[in-house]
Amino acid sequence: MDAEVLKNTGLGHFNADRYSEAATAFDQAALAFEAAGRSADAAEMRNNLCVVKMSQDDFQGALAAVEGTEAVFAAAGDPRREAQAIANRAACYEGLGRVEDALQTYQRAIDLLGDIGESDTRAACYKRMSGLQVKSGQQLQALASMRSGLDLTDKPSMRERMLKGMLDKAVKGLGMK
């Protein structure tokens, strides 16, 4: 079957919460893209497979799927997809309870996303990082990370706006900027 058809089939299955079928389609699409010499597209399918595996709470399988994809995107000169692959790997570490690895990897994604001016995924990374920092006893860093994530959020929810207001007051009260 054609790689593009397999990709679209996988997306359809994923959107319908048919994760096993989506995983199969993305895996086959990756193989088809590789056979066609389209390594970056194959790596994207591996990232899609990673997301499917995380949706199934198979974080070890997700980590195996995403392995090496960031290097493919870096070699292809695609920093946006490289950063997404790094963020996916961080989420795998988080799911596996590897907090320090997750924190370091989220920071790598945040830095690269900042370099290219991408704010949505960067905001999400900051928010995930904040939760991990709270769990690891780094409360002040968690406040700063959450504030950074909220500052980057284009359309914050009512809850996020309220949280941002409280964080701004807390930071001001601590004498920070």
Side-chain angles (χ1 to χ4, degrees):
M1 192 179 285
D2 177 72
E4 291 291 340
V5 171
L6 288 164
K7 171 186 170 180
N8 291 329
T9 299
L11 291 170
H13 286 310
F14 182 77
N15 290 331
D17 297 332
R18 293 188 300 269
Y19 299 128
S20 294
E21 294 91 341
T24 299
F26 288 138
D27 191 45
Q28 290 174 350
L31 293 172
F33 280 126
E34 285 169 6
R38 295 172 58 184
S39 59
D41 290 324
E44 182 177 348
M45 294 306 99
R46 295 285 179 216
N47 271 272
N48 288 352
L49 179 59
C50 171
V51 172
V52 169
K53 295 285 186 183
M54 285 191 288
S55 297
Q56 296 173 306
D57 292 331
D58 177 7
F59 295 102
Q60 195 61 52
L63 185 59
V66 78
E67 189 67 36
T69 61
E70 65 195 65
V72 172
F73 295 132
D78 191 340
R80 183 188 56 79
R81 290 197 291 181
E82 178 186 358
Q84 186 61 55
I86 294 168
N88 284 344
R89 190 159 49 86
C92 292
Y93 290 147
E94 182 178 353
L96 290 168
R98 294 171 54 182
V99 174
E100 195 54 43
D101 289 333
L103 287 169
Q104 291 174 7
T105 308
Y106 277 128
Q107 188 61 59
R108 281 191 57 224
I110 287 166
D111 292 345
L112 183 54
L113 291 162
D115 291 346
I116 62 172
E118 201 288 329
S119 60
D120 290 338
T121 304
R122 192 170 186 225
C125 287
Y126 269 123
K127 292 172 189 177
R128 298 300 298 239
M129 202 162 118
S130 175
L132 289 171
Q133 288 166 327
V134 167
K135 290 178 185 177
S136 63
Q138 301 172 32
Q139 277 67 27
L140 289 178
Q141 295 92 330
L143 287 173
S145 294
M146 181 56 74
R147 187 171 183 231
S148 294
L150 292 171
D151 284 345
L152 291 168
T153 303
D154 282 337
K155 296 179 182 176
S157 66
M158 175 68 81
R159 181 174 167 249
E160 288 176 322
R161 287 192 303 272
M162 290 173 54
L163 179 57
K164 184 175 179 336
M166 289 187 291
L167 287 173
D168 287 345
K169 286 179 186 177
V171 167
K172 188 175 181 178
L174 292 170
M176 301 165 62
K177 292 198 178 216

